[in-house]
Amino acid sequence: MKKATRLLSLLLAILMVMALAACGNSAPAASSSETSTANSETAADDSQPVEPVEATYPLTTENKKLTIYMRDNSAGVIGDYGRVAGIKAAAEKLGVELEFIHPTTGSEADQFNLMIGSGKYPDIIVWEFSTAAMGLSELVDQGILIDMDPLIRQYAPNYLKVLERNEAYPREVRSDAGKYQAFYTFTVGIPVSSGPVFRQDILDKYGLSLPETVDQWEEVMKAVKEQDPTCKYPLSTSKSYTGAVWFNELLPAYNTRTEFCLGENGEVVYGPITDNYKAYLAKLNEWYSAGLIDPEFMSNDGTALNGKVADGSCLVATMAINSGIRNITNTVRPNNPDFQLTGVAWPVLNAGDPSSYVLAGGVAHTGVQAAISSGCSDPVLATQVLDFFYSDEGSDLISWGIEGESYTVAADGTKTFTDNIMNAADGKAPTEAVLDYALPMYGFVNAMDNDAYVQLAVNMPEQGAARSLWQSLDQGANLPKLTVDKDHANDYRMIMNEVQTYIQEMYIKFITGQANLDSDWDTYVNTIKGMGIENATQWVQDAYTAFMNR
């Protein structure tokens, strides 16, 4: 009865989220670092380790097909992962037909919830389960996904070898009980691929140096605003895919985050109710009042922000190395040869302080996960198919495509993309042309190849410099991805949906002066406490303790 009741409450939560989305009033998604739930199984028995079985190919001579549900991470450019030449070649090698099912771009979350609620599941589901209404453990507990621990231990030798590459990987991919729950994708954009970016050419025009401290940022922004009539509001931002709006630039300087983070003594705190966060808001309000912040910051989308950086009305913003630095530079530089974007470290309060980075959703070495559903008739086959993509051959097919067509291999083993990719006859950009052959930037279920990623996605010196700088910084107050215990997960989600909606509303009001930090702060904090944030903080602290004890 208790299990049925919990399942009903979770399904109701899914339906509530879907209903809100249909009305266009969905709350900001909970942070991916805390929304998944902990495993309920007893610890895995490692006293008698299983000898992994090396697969032989083809895996079967029968007419077998596996259906794979996953989002099209190219926002519809690929259309069907099954058409990618590397995946076609892999399917032929495996002797298994791979049919991909992609939810419609723009409504992925709603369609995922509908699929989960339908009771009819594809063989394999590839998803970032920490963002779903039910996390991996709950989906296993409810019989939607299967327990993959014994399958991975016995039939995934390539995956287990990949886990040995980084001492952090096993901690990331195992549950608190020590079980393997899914195949994780290991990305090359971790820890960060976006950060603060300045218009270097504008700074050079006025003889200004790149700033390092918060005070220096302010001085530089004021100097440009006073001298350059085009740069009306030096600092701007845009809405994220969840609809949330944040100025992440100053967060490390105040040792806080817009979600749960580590406090001064290493304990878990909820950033938005700390004194550090209040000081951060006070500085943003000061800058807004001084005309340094774009008054349209809360309504900008990514295109609008890029446009303001491109035309010089914005001096600095947080940008990604690809959709920001590369795309804007490629658009503007043909008509403005001096155009230059430079990534900088997040500012510090005092010169010489170490700079850390901001990573929404927690520090993680992993992206999406691939899990086998209870609807799969041959879980062993599905496990071996997924494991193939962690082998050298499978990885090359996903990251590089077809040797001789999309890439070549030199005598020393160095791989290079061919002119079919770098100078496509149809005029496609390399990042698009490669999608006919491989998925080096988006990945599938594999350990992404850094060399392939860099050749395509980091081909400008300013991109490489920014990426190297940001990834060299300290993680600061960021938390790892955590799993709240399933007994509290539903209550946690309900608390955080309400809290996050409220803090986003008040965030904008505090910055713009619609709310007063001196007179309204205590009411704001008490309101959040009344929503249950202290309970949520304890559950995240418990999850963090369990994570560190893995």
Side-chain angles (χ1 to χ4, degrees):
M1 179 65 72
K2 182 178 179 181
K3 180 177 178 180
T5 301
R6 187 168 68 250
L7 176 58
L8 177 60
S9 66
L10 289 166
L11 291 176
L12 286 173
I14 292 175
L15 292 173
M16 180 174 67
V17 170
M18 291 166 56
L20 287 170
C23 296
N25 292 317
S26 57
S31 161
S32 63
S33 60
E34 292 97 29
T35 52
S36 58
T37 55
N39 210 334
S40 60
E41 314 94 340
T42 56
D45 182 7
D46 293 330
S47 60
Q48 296 181 334
V50 177
E51 185 68 28
V53 175
E54 295 286 345
T56 56
Y57 305 106
L59 294 172
T60 178
T61 57
E62 300 176 21
N63 186 21
K64 292 275 190 174
K65 179 173 76 171
L66 292 174
T67 52
I68 303 171
Y69 186 97
M70 67 178 296
R71 72 171 74 232
D72 178 354
N73 291 308
S74 69
V77 176
I78 299 173
D80 175 14
Y81 277 39
R83 76 170 182 83
V84 177
I87 289 181
K88 285 183 178 179
E92 184 175 350
K93 168 84 175 182
L94 295 165
V96 180
E97 180 183 352
L98 303 178
E99 178 185 336
F100 287 82
I101 303 169
H102 302 296
T104 303
T105 299
S107 59
E108 294 96 336
D110 290 343
Q111 292 193 28
F112 175 84
N113 289 335
L114 286 171
M115 182 270 293
I116 292 296
S118 72
K120 297 179 180 179
Y121 314 121
D123 297 298
I124 296 168
I125 301 174
V126 183
W127 206 255
E128 189 172 352
F129 288 100
S130 61
T131 66
M134 287 190 281
L136 275 168
S137 297
E138 287 174 285
L139 290 167
V140 172
D141 194 43
Q142 302 305 331
I144 296 170
L145 301 177
I146 66 171
D147 176 7
M148 292 187 62
D149 185 74
L151 290 166
I152 288 175
R153 292 179 186 276
Q154 188 164 5
Y155 298 106
N158 295 308
Y159 180 64
L160 294 176
K161 289 177 185 176
V162 167
L163 296 184
E164 297 175 358
R165 296 181 186 175
N166 188 313
E167 63 180 11
Y169 285 175
R171 173 180 280 179
E172 292 283 353
V173 307
R174 290 174 125 183
S175 70
D176 293 339
K179 287 200 169 189
Y180 297 111
Q181 295 182 294
F183 286 86
Y184 280 68
T185 294
F186 298 92
T187 70
V188 295
I190 298 299
V192 282
S193 58
S194 63
V197 176
F198 271 85
R199 277 286 302 267
Q200 179 72 60
D201 55 314
I202 294 178
L203 296 182
D204 291 345
K205 180 179 179 180
Y206 298 106
L208 298 168
S209 300
L210 288 168
E212 297 180 5
T213 68
V214 172
D215 287 344
Q216 289 171 354
W217 272 52
E218 184 172 326
E219 292 168 3
V220 165
M221 290 192 296
K222 284 183 175 179
V224 171
K225 182 178 175 66
E226 290 170 359
Q227 299 178 76
D228 193 327
T230 301
C231 192
K232 300 176 181 178
Y233 303 105
L235 177 62
S236 191
T237 190
S238 64
K239 295 181 290 186
S240 71
Y241 73 94
T242 67
V245 179
W246 309 111
F247 284 101
N248 289 331
E249 292 83 1
L250 301 187
L251 287 167
Y254 294 92
N255 196 38
T256 190
R257 297 296 184 268
T258 58
E259 53 188 35
F260 289 100
C261 60
L262 291 174
E264 303 291 346
N265 299 316
E267 79 286 7
V268 171
V269 298
Y270 188 57
I273 62 172
T274 61
D275 289 341
N276 288 2
Y277 191 84
K278 182 181 180 182
Y280 153 78
L281 285 177
K283 178 56 69 174
L284 289 175
N285 172 252
E286 179 185 329
W287 285 2
Y288 185 87
S289 300
L292 300 178
I293 290 180
D294 178 9
E296 298 176 335
F297 75 87
M298 69 289 291
S299 59
N300 289 332
D301 59 14
T303 300
L305 178 63
N306 283 5
K308 291 178 178 181
V309 172
D311 67 18
S313 58
C314 171
L315 175 71
V316 56
T318 290
M319 316 209 80
I321 59 173
N322 295 322
S323 61
I325 294 177
R326 183 189 65 203
N327 289 359
I328 298 174
T329 302
N330 283 338
T331 300
V332 179
R333 188 168 285 168
N335 297 317
N336 181 4
D338 294 329
F339 184 88
Q340 181 78 36
L341 294 174
T342 298
V344 300
W346 281 259
V348 295
L349 281 182
N350 304 300
D353 287 350
S355 176
S356 64
Y357 56 78
V358 172
L359 183 65
V363 181
H365 297 278
T366 55
V368 298
Q369 304 90 40
I372 299 172
S373 81
S374 57
C376 180
S377 61
D378 196 337
V380 171
L381 178 67
T383 301
Q384 292 179 310
V385 164
L386 291 172
D387 184 62
F388 170 73
F389 292 101
Y390 293 88
S391 67
D392 291 341
E393 182 179 2
S395 178
D396 283 348
L397 288 171
I398 290 296
S399 297
W400 295 93
I402 308 301
E403 184 176 355
E405 296 183 33
S406 56
Y407 76 100
T408 58
V409 184
D412 63 358
T414 302
K415 300 181 181 69
T416 305
F417 284 112
T418 65
D419 279 347
N420 288 338
I421 307 302
M422 305 308 292
N423 297 288
D426 57 8
K428 288 181 180 177
T431 51
E432 183 177 352
V434 76
L435 300 180
D436 291 333
Y437 293 93
L439 304 168
M441 295 179 298
Y442 302 113
F444 169 43
V445 181
N446 65 312
M448 294 174 68
D449 189 307
N450 185 69
D451 290 340
Y453 177 87
V454 167
Q455 280 190 35
L456 289 168
V458 191
N459 47 28
M460 291 180 177
E462 49 266 57
Q463 284 180 285
R467 185 170 183 257
S468 296
L469 171 64
W470 294 336
Q471 296 199 24
S472 72
L473 303 179
D474 186 81
Q475 75 177 54
N478 292 306
L479 281 170
K481 285 193 175 183
L482 301 174
T483 54
V484 170
D485 186 273
K486 69 185 183 70
D487 289 339
H488 302 301
N490 199 39
D491 289 337
Y492 174 84
R493 281 188 291 265
M494 293 178 67
I495 290 171
M496 295 314 300
N497 281 339
E498 185 178 14
V499 167
Q500 288 169 333
T501 301
Y502 178 68
I503 66 164
Q504 176 70 165
E505 173 190 344
M506 293 303 297
Y507 182 81
I508 294 172
K509 287 183 176 181
F510 281 133
I511 291 174
T512 60
Q514 298 174 65
N516 186 286
L517 276 167
D518 292 328
S519 59
D520 297 328
W521 178 257
D522 289 344
T523 300
Y524 160 80
V525 171
N526 289 332
T527 299
I528 294 174
K529 288 182 177 180
M531 293 175 179
I533 197 64
E534 291 171 315
N535 285 336
T537 302
Q538 184 58 57
W539 298 332
V540 176
Q541 176 67 64
D542 292 343
Y544 179 62
T545 300
F547 178 89
M548 297 304 292
N549 288 334
R550 286 181 182 177

